[in-house]
Amino acid sequence: MISRVPFYTIVVLFILAGLGLAMARHAQMEIPFLPGAERPVWLVEARIDFNAKNEPVLVSMDLPDSPPGFRLFTEQAASPGYGFSVIRHDGNRRGEWSIRRAVGPQTLYYKAQFLQASDIEELPEQTPPEAQTIDWDGPQGTAATQLLAQAQQRSSTPQSLTRELIKLLNQPEPGQNAALLLQGHTEADLLVKLLNQAGLPARESQGLYLEDARRRQSLSSFVEVYADNRWLVFDPKTGEQGLPDNVLMWHKKGVSLLDVNGGSGSNVSFSIIRQTVPALQLARAQAEEHGFGQFSIYQLPIEEQSMFKLLLLLPIGAAAVVFMRIIVGVKTSGTFMPVLIAVAFLQTSLLPGIVSFITVVALGLLLRGYLSRLNLLLVARIATLVILVVFIIAIMSIVGYQLGFNTGMTITFFPMIIMAWTIERMSILWEEDGPKEVLKQGGGSLLVAILAFLAMESKLVSHLTFNFPELHFVLLAMILLMGQYKGYKLTELKRFKAMVDRA
């Protein structure tokens, strides 16, 4: 007896491979399992206002570059008359607007959509930064040294030193040293200088608090301290460590936030709104960033994607035929002809497709009855039927178009050769077994085609087959299992009804 272990091992491997690859694609590319799923994104609009001096204008603004916790989805500039480009300069990403000449009040807009992504972290520094040398003016140097010494006595790590300095600078009644230093500095700027004087690389950064439907917002200051081979973020007013989840890091000091050449009185403000976009759209836009994306159907031209979207539905129709024939026991005219009819139904829609199918087969049977009297050879008879089927479909399309039916033209999607061969087989079946068997097999073919159409038309099925093609391994495993079934078909169980009635 042949062991079934290798067979079932292959089936299990197909199932595990299909489900495993689908889960990996979902996790890496963030493709949703359900169609119509949406994800929230933040739309941030930066508005730049200034007065032009009737001369060439060049405006440059610092833009976010891989902000931690967020991924840039789309960006655009809406500034009529201005040229716009995104450039990189000295490792910074900046947006530049330019115009030959402008005069009077000017308003420029930059819009970007950001997706929250916990897996996005700030890139590490290629070379560890060094603390800057700080030069104080007169008594400020003494005050800074004393204030720093007071904080160092209460701390033992860079983090604790930063928190102690923040406490000293934000006391309700700051000491004389803190008060003197705060006269010419903000808390963030002063904290950065004190930390650099203590030998700790520090910098000021600015982020935007993301709150829905907020207008005319400004950037909030944060202080970053380099410790443990990474930048640690602190709130200079509260001393809290870590960047809040709703803060989009926009700008790091060291470069200017906004430069305006050819204008004066410049100002930038931000508006925020929370939106939702289709999750599948996000996954497609970011497909090239992932390993799965390099071998994805998304990389193909749109025309070929449309072709594959239909081809990947054929295994669903094949599985429906296998189930209906092996498990249920429905007889069909031709093995996989119902699949081709179901594909035609996808183009014509169901009701016009059924009417067209019945009409073509009925007219074909009438013409085939006449051809049988001519005693033609099989090849010639099939070729004649193909031509006649073409004419029948052409006439139906023209009549449908003249009557104003939009689906009249789409019935040309019916597989002509298969239709001709089906008519031939049904005609022979009529002559040998009578019209009852013809109706049984023709009706079975139509029933299976309808069921295959309903499965293939499902939005969920279409979504999964196209976006997770590896799930066809699971479908293949199911077909292999059904292929091993040799028991009674469901349609055969009626033979045992008498036994049940007697019992």
Side-chain angles (χ1 to χ4, degrees):
M1 181 177 179
I2 300 176
S3 174
R4 310 301 298 168
V5 173
F7 171 77
Y8 289 112
T9 301
I10 293 174
V11 169
V12 171
L13 288 177
F14 275 141
I15 294 175
L16 292 179
L19 295 178
L21 289 172
M23 293 298 296
R25 186 184 296 271
H26 169 73
Q28 188 179 97
M29 298 184 63
E30 299 179 348
I31 299 178
F33 282 119
L34 297 177
E38 294 184 335
R39 290 192 62 184
V41 296
W42 291 97
L43 175 62
V44 179
E45 179 186 82
R47 171 173 172 165
I48 303 172
D49 295 292
F50 64 96
N51 288 311
K53 300 178 180 179
N54 195 24
E55 58 185 63
V57 174
L58 178 63
V59 179
S60 176
M61 185 179 71
D62 196 30
L63 302 180
D65 188 12
S66 301
F70 291 89
R71 181 183 292 122
L72 178 64
F73 179 41
T74 62
E75 62 179 345
Q76 62 178 351
S79 309
Y82 281 79
F84 175 77
S85 59
V86 177
I87 64 171
R88 288 190 176 274
H89 181 67
D90 294 335
N92 297 303
R93 186 170 175 270
R94 300 186 69 86
E96 284 193 356
W97 292 260
S98 59
I99 193 172
R100 175 63 64 182
R101 188 170 299 276
V103 61
Q106 304 289 307
T107 301
L108 309 178
Y109 292 95
Y110 169 80
K111 297 180 180 180
Q113 287 180 315
F114 293 93
L115 169 70
Q116 281 189 304
S118 58
D119 60 328
I120 302 299
E121 298 181 356
E122 188 173 14
L123 297 176
E125 298 284 351
Q126 294 182 354
T127 57
E130 297 181 357
Q132 299 177 356
T133 302
I134 306 299
D135 295 325
W136 299 99
D137 295 333
Q140 288 187 346
T142 304
T145 301
Q146 294 178 357
L147 188 65
L148 190 57
Q150 183 180 354
Q152 286 174 332
Q153 291 179 356
R154 304 175 184 175
S155 62
S156 58
T157 63
Q159 295 90 322
S160 60
L161 175 61
T162 304
R163 285 191 288 267
E164 290 301 322
L165 284 173
I166 293 174
K167 291 178 183 178
L168 293 174
L169 297 179
N170 288 279
Q171 290 179 349
E173 296 182 2
Q176 294 181 352
N177 294 324
L180 175 62
L181 293 171
L182 286 171
Q183 288 179 0
H185 301 85
T186 63
E187 289 89 346
D189 183 37
L190 179 56
L191 181 59
V192 169
K193 288 186 175 182
L194 290 172
L195 289 169
N196 277 281
Q197 182 176 341
L200 295 176
R203 66 188 182 189
E204 183 180 351
S205 57
Q206 293 182 312
L208 187 64
Y209 279 93
L210 300 178
E211 299 177 8
D212 191 20
R214 297 300 299 270
R215 301 175 63 249
R216 299 285 178 153
Q217 297 298 296
S218 58
L219 298 176
S220 300
S221 293
F222 294 87
V223 172
E224 295 182 90
V225 183
Y226 192 78
D228 300 330
N229 297 321
R230 59 194 179 101
W231 288 101
L232 306 177
V233 181
F234 290 86
D235 189 322
K237 294 188 178 297
T238 64
E240 293 183 3
Q241 182 179 344
L243 188 67
D245 293 337
N246 65 331
V247 170
L248 172 67
M249 195 63 75
W250 189 282
H251 170 64
K252 291 180 174 60
K253 285 295 182 71
V255 294
S256 59
L257 172 63
L258 180 66
D259 291 326
V260 178
N261 295 325
S264 61
S266 60
N267 177 60
V268 59
S269 60
F270 299 86
S271 300
I272 308 106
I273 189 171
R274 189 175 185 270
Q275 299 177 321
T276 56
V277 298
L280 186 57
Q281 180 183 347
L282 288 173
R284 287 180 175 177
Q286 303 165 146
E288 295 183 359
E289 302 177 7
H290 307 285
F292 273 102
Q294 301 299 324
F295 302 96
S296 172
I297 296 177
Y298 301 152
Q299 304 298 322
L300 297 175
I302 298 297
E303 183 178 357
E304 294 187 20
Q305 288 189 40
S306 301
M307 178 187 67
F308 272 101
K309 191 168 188 178
L310 182 60
L311 288 179
L312 290 172
L313 288 173
L314 293 180
I316 301 296
V321 172
V322 171
F323 177 79
M324 294 298 293
R325 292 196 57 156
I326 295 179
I327 306 300
V328 179
V330 175
K331 293 183 178 181
T332 62
S333 179
T335 307
F336 289 103
M337 178 205 166
V339 179
L340 300 176
I341 300 301
V343 172
F345 286 170
L346 290 175
Q347 307 294 332
T348 64
S349 71
L350 184 59
L351 185 58
I354 294 175
V355 173
S356 301
F357 173 77
I358 295 175
T359 303
V360 171
V361 172
L363 292 176
L365 285 174
L366 290 176
L367 294 173
R368 170 59 176 77
Y370 172 74
L371 292 177
S372 63
R373 302 176 186 176
L374 301 179
N375 295 322
L376 297 176
L377 295 176
L378 176 63
V379 176
R381 191 164 61 241
I382 295 296
T384 304
L385 279 176
V386 169
I387 297 174
L388 292 176
V389 168
V390 170
F391 274 106
I392 292 172
I393 292 178
I395 293 172
M396 291 178 60
S397 298
I398 294 172
V399 172
Y401 177 76
Q402 294 295 332
L403 295 177
F405 295 109
N406 294 330
T407 57
M409 301 297 293
T410 59
I411 64 173
T412 56
F413 283 98
F414 278 109
M416 311 238 178
I417 304 296
I418 300 300
M419 290 291 292
W421 185 252
T422 299
I423 293 171
E424 172 68 19
R425 291 190 58 181
M426 286 187 175
S427 179
I428 296 175
L429 191 65
W430 189 301
E431 295 173 354
E432 295 179 352
D433 298 327
K436 182 178 180 181
E437 190 65 22
V438 171
L439 292 176
K440 182 184 297 185
Q441 292 192 17
S445 298
L446 191 58
L447 173 63
V448 175
I450 292 174
L451 294 177
F453 163 79
L454 294 176
M456 296 161 69
E457 191 193 32
S458 169
K459 290 184 178 179
L460 177 59
V461 171
S462 177
H463 172 81
L464 291 176
T465 54
F466 182 73
N467 296 290
F468 299 94
E470 51 274 352
L471 288 178
H472 285 85
F473 285 124
V474 180
L475 189 64
L476 176 58
M478 295 173 60
I479 292 175
L480 291 176
L481 288 174
M482 286 189 289
Q484 291 293 307
Y485 179 74
K486 296 180 177 62
Y488 288 108
K489 297 175 175 58
L490 295 179
T491 54
E492 295 175 337
L493 297 181
K494 63 182 180 181
R495 294 186 299 172
F496 301 95
K497 186 174 182 300
M499 297 177 58
V500 175
D501 294 339
R502 289 177 183 177

